[in-house]
Amino acid sequence: MQPPNISTDTWWIIAAIGSAVFLATCVPLMPTRKYKIRVSCFPLLGASFLAAAANFRGHDLETLLSIYSLGVIVIPLGIVGRGKELKQAAEQAANSVGGQAPPAPFKLTAQFLAAALVGLLVWAWLRWG
């Protein structure tokens, strides 16, 4: 099965929709105001990095948009339904001594890694077939 040929304009639309889904999913799941502010800045920082990488390093815009879209879609899939674990991890990080926080809960880590792996495989299939 051949992957679909997705144009740069379509990648822009996917990136915009992915950013909206990212904000709608991730911001409410964040346990504290500090984390909500940080997470809400992610799409802007990602788009800024995308523009800089395209201009200064000469990367292909279509590839950069596909990578950005992967990121903003995979992150919500990796944490959706794990609000309790996110809150627990944030509390542990806040209570940690010397900046050494314990690892995140296993279920959260496993879900995030599974989403990242599936997203990477889909991206590779879309790029190289």
Side-chain angles (χ1 to χ4, degrees):
M1 186 163 109
Q2 290 294 324
N5 186 13
I6 301 174
S7 68
T8 304
D9 293 337
T10 306
W11 276 119
W12 275 112
I13 293 168
I14 293 169
I17 292 170
S19 295
V21 168
F22 176 87
L23 290 172
T25 305
C26 292
V27 173
L29 284 175
M30 293 298 111
T32 65
R33 185 175 188 271
K34 179 174 84 172
Y35 287 122
K36 288 178 191 272
I37 292 170
R38 286 181 184 175
V39 167
S40 63
C41 292
F42 180 80
L44 178 62
L45 293 173
S48 299
F49 175 76
L50 190 90
N55 286 333
F56 297 128
R57 301 190 100 192
H59 290 299
D60 178 30
L61 185 60
E62 185 176 322
T63 302
L64 293 174
L65 281 170
S66 66
I67 292 169
Y68 173 80
S69 299
L70 168 74
V72 296
I73 292 170
V74 162
I75 293 171
L77 289 175
I79 64 173
V80 73
R82 298 286 169 211
K84 181 176 150 185
E85 287 92 346
L86 282 170
K87 185 175 183 175
Q88 177 187 4
E91 287 173 358
Q92 288 176 346
N95 296 334
S96 65
V97 193
Q100 193 74 312
F106 177 75
K107 289 181 181 180
L108 175 64
T109 304
Q111 180 176 331
F112 192 82
L113 289 175
L117 178 63
V118 169
L120 186 60
L121 290 173
V122 169
W123 179 81
W125 176 72
L126 287 173
R127 294 299 301 158
W128 299 299

